[in-house]
Amino acid sequence: MIMIDGRADLLSMNMTELGEFLAGLGVEKYRAKQIFGWMVRGVGFDGMTNLSKSLRERLAEAAVINLPTIEKRLVSKLDGTVKYLFGLYDGNLIESVFMRYKHGNTLCVSSEVGCPMGCRFCASTLGGLVRRLLPSELLGQVITAERDTGERISNIVMMGIGEPLDNYDNTIKFLRLVSDPDGLDIGSRHISLSTCGLVDKIDELAKLELQITLSISLHAADDETRSSIMPINKKWNISSLLDACRRYFDATGRRISFEYTLISNKNDSPAYAKRLASTLKRGLCRNSRPFPIHVNLIPVNEVAETKFKRSDPESVKRFCEVLANEGINATIRRKLGSDINASCGQLRRSSLAAENAADDTVDD
């Protein structure tokens, strides 16, 4: 049982665990469905009107509903994208991004406070890992965003701050909680999980045969280039990563998307696009069962602390065309919320910098 300040973390419990917790308090197990239904709507104990006042008071003494607070909310004037800076119970900050598409609303959620992976182009990893998020803190991002916007979230992408597979157990618990028919009921096929390439965890995930979409942050076609921008490649190189992708597809039948960040004069030339196509086909298309390769091209988000520059639109278009000519399905990611810095990690980073500057002023 997860405890927060000496009280049980109810939102990290599934229905069975919640029923057992209630039984330990001498409360009927059937109350679990009522309480669970209230929690996923963002309602606290005081608002659970079909429970007696004495039961609500008992729950408040023994348990906590761990929802984030909205510390900052930025709304794009261009497309209505909403970027949240969420505050956690211990004062840490994370980000989520609410995006509107024709097919429904998508929320990009964070899985950790900070990130231990060290990818050179990413703002999220600056400062390293602070801690991993609890299942309640993953679920709470979705609940709070739905409650704030008044709109249903139908799709989730785990592409925010942190590496989801580095927080494996809590991530799996979240996936099961968010898809619970008695809760938010967001189907697994509407969830994408992005990883920089933790091969052992990809293999564990494959055994669960979840119907989520796995996204691989590849960003390079050769080990030398990838290792220079993604330290994880020194542990699991491209060959071992693609082998794991092949095993995952064979086990689940689910298409894998490869994310590719385009960095000017680093990995965005037409010749390098051909090299990427060759690497993918050599690593994935090795038996009679076809492997549906899809590459999602993403111009790098320029971060003040790095020297990487965004590829110009013509280079991005040319790179995409070369992949297509090589038989690789590729798309260019549509950028939403460009006027509010909706890219991952930048709002948290700027807020921490402002806090540190204020502390320095006080110290002076």
Side-chain angles (χ1 to χ4, degrees):
M1 184 186 302
I2 297 173
M3 305 293 288
I4 296 176
D5 296 333
R7 293 184 291 172
D9 179 12
L10 287 197
L11 204 55
S12 285
M13 297 181 186
N14 60 34
M15 198 76 72
T16 300
E17 293 165 337
L18 181 55
E20 292 173 351
F21 171 76
L22 293 174
L25 294 179
V27 179
E28 304 92 335
K29 285 189 176 182
Y30 78 86
R31 295 287 188 184
K33 189 171 184 178
Q34 294 175 323
I35 295 169
F36 192 74
W38 283 117
M39 289 195 301
V40 297
R41 289 159 53 192
V43 177
F45 296 126
D46 287 343
M48 298 181 182
T49 53
N50 58 350
L51 305 181
S52 68
K53 183 178 179 182
S54 61
L55 175 53
R56 283 180 274 163
E57 290 174 347
R58 207 177 342 159
L59 287 171
E61 291 176 358
V64 61
I65 299 174
N66 184 27
L67 289 171
T69 57
I70 300 174
E71 300 298 314
K72 190 172 291 187
R73 182 183 189 272
L74 305 179
V75 182
S76 171
K77 295 179 180 178
L78 301 176
D79 50 46
T81 295
V82 184
K83 184 165 188 176
Y84 293 102
L85 183 68
F86 284 135
L88 305 180
Y89 75 92
D90 60 358
N92 277 300
L93 301 171
I94 56 171
E95 295 175 20
S96 297
V97 182
F98 175 90
M99 298 164 283
R100 294 180 175 89
Y101 294 95
K102 290 181 180 179
H103 60 268
N105 298 321
T106 295
L107 189 73
C108 179
V109 303
S110 294
S111 56
E112 298 179 309
V113 182
C115 183
M117 296 296 112
C119 297
R120 308 295 184 218
F121 51 84
C122 182
S124 297
T125 198
L126 297 171
L129 176 69
V130 177
R131 70 170 177 85
R132 297 172 178 89
L133 296 186
L134 303 172
S136 59
E137 293 168 325
L138 286 156
L139 189 62
Q141 295 170 66
V142 187
I143 294 169
T144 304
E146 277 200 344
R147 189 172 176 84
D148 178 65
T149 60
E151 299 180 42
R152 173 168 168 75
I153 292 168
S154 54
N155 303 277
I156 293 172
V157 291
M158 299 192 73
M159 297 179 181
I161 297 171
E163 162 59 58
L165 295 187
D166 182 60
N167 189 15
Y168 183 82
D169 290 341
N170 288 341
T171 290
I172 299 304
K173 185 69 172 291
F174 161 69
L175 292 175
R176 298 197 187 285
L177 287 171
V178 79
S179 60
D180 191 316
D182 290 318
L184 295 177
D185 194 22
I186 300 176
S188 295
R189 288 178 178 268
H190 296 277
I191 301 174
S192 294
L193 184 152
S194 176
T195 176
C196 66
L198 280 66
V199 167
D200 58 340
K201 298 302 183 184
I202 292 173
D203 284 333
E204 284 189 44
L205 189 63
K207 295 175 184 176
L208 300 179
E209 298 185 11
L210 300 175
Q211 291 299 294
I212 63 171
T213 297
L214 184 64
S215 295
I216 302 295
S217 295
L218 189 61
H219 309 313
D222 64 278
D223 285 326
E224 182 180 0
T225 302
R226 194 166 193 264
S227 293
S228 71
I229 58 175
M230 301 182 72
I232 192 67
N233 197 71
K234 296 173 184 177
K235 183 172 184 179
W236 288 295
N237 63 16
I238 292 176
S239 177
S240 63
L241 176 56
L242 295 183
D243 283 345
C245 290
R246 178 83 249 184
R247 293 191 295 271
Y248 183 89
F249 176 72
D250 288 342
T252 67
R254 295 289 292 160
R255 188 190 77 170
I256 294 174
S257 177
F258 293 90
E259 298 166 334
Y260 190 93
T261 294
L262 288 158
I263 304 171
S264 181
N265 298 318
K266 181 75 173 178
N267 65 353
D268 66 340
S269 70
Y272 203 75
K274 288 187 177 182
R275 191 170 188 179
L276 175 62
S278 176
T279 296
L280 289 171
K281 287 188 283 190
R282 185 175 63 252
L284 297 170
C285 304
R286 294 177 302 182
N287 58 31
S288 58
R289 187 179 186 187
F291 191 106
I293 301 173
H294 175 259
V295 177
N296 194 8
L297 300 174
I298 313 161
V300 72
N301 295 306
E302 296 184 4
V303 179
E305 290 86 348
T306 74
K307 297 180 180 180
F308 294 130
K309 297 298 181 183
R310 176 188 296 266
S311 300
D312 63 79
E314 188 57 36
S315 295
V316 175
K317 181 181 177 183
R318 188 164 60 248
F319 196 96
C320 188
E321 290 172 346
V322 172
L323 288 179
N325 291 336
E326 293 294 319
I328 300 295
N329 180 30
T331 54
I332 301 169
R333 178 180 291 178
R334 176 187 169 203
K335 184 174 177 60
L336 297 179
S338 58
D339 58 328
I340 57 170
N341 254 344
S343 307
C344 178
Q346 297 187 20
L347 182 56
R348 172 178 175 267
R349 187 74 180 166
S350 62
S351 295
L352 292 175
E355 288 180 10
N356 290 335
D359 289 343
D360 290 343
T361 301
V362 172
D363 292 341
D364 290 343

